Amino acid sequence: MAVAIRVYREGDGARLVPTGTFDLGHTMAATRLLPDVKARLHGCVSVDVDLAELEQMDGTGAAVLSQLLDQLDADGLQIRVTEGPNPEAARLLALCRQRGRHLPIRKVAMQNLMARIGKLAMDMPQ
């Protein structure tokens, strides 16, 4: 099943309903949804995220949803997650959001094996 995030506006609030399989295989499709979803929430004060229609979510899918929720949180929206019959997805999403706030994002340059070994050797104490 394809991934989707349905948006239901209700005054200055909204309800987001992610549907389908949010996993590694659907990461690109899920990521492409985010700008449209965020634009449709313009002017909202609160957002309820209903996970009841998620078929499956792995860590990659949780990271995609977490990215969206973190952006909305940074914009000042109040976010509530409703797990429904899917407590595992709610826990995974909460864990992903919690870890994302405490771990800095590092850009790792691609290096060949010899360059990495050389760097390790240079970093070793004499």
Side-chain angles (χ1 to χ4, degrees):
M1 176 180 205
V3 296
I5 302 176
R6 294 194 307 255
V7 178
Y8 300 99
R9 291 285 304 251
E10 301 160 1
D12 63 355
R15 186 168 64 103
L16 296 183
V17 182
T19 62
T21 305
F22 278 71
D23 62 3
L24 181 61
H26 296 93
T27 302
M28 293 302 295
T31 302
R32 282 193 290 266
L33 298 172
L34 302 186
D36 180 57
V37 170
K38 190 172 177 193
R40 293 180 65 193
L41 296 174
H42 182 74
C44 285
V45 174
S46 65
V47 176
D48 292 330
V49 182
D50 183 354
L51 301 178
E53 295 187 31
L54 266 179
E55 285 187 19
Q56 179 182 349
M57 182 167 68
D58 66 6
T60 308
V64 171
L65 283 178
S66 176
Q67 177 184 2
L68 173 63
L69 299 183
D70 288 346
Q71 289 173 2
L72 298 175
D73 193 34
D75 289 344
L77 279 75
Q78 296 174 0
I79 300 169
R80 281 189 309 246
V81 176
T82 306
E83 63 186 44
N86 209 340
E88 295 84 16
R91 279 194 302 268
L92 187 57
L93 184 59
L95 178 64
C96 192
R97 292 194 72 208
Q98 182 181 22
R99 287 187 60 132
R101 290 188 180 129
H102 300 294
L103 297 177
I105 296 173
R106 294 186 309 152
K107 293 195 179 215
V108 178
M110 293 299 292
Q111 298 177 344
N112 66 30
L113 179 60
M114 292 306 289
R116 287 187 293 197
I117 291 171
K119 179 166 178 10
L120 287 171
M122 293 296 292
D123 292 342
M124 291 179 67
Q126 299 295 327

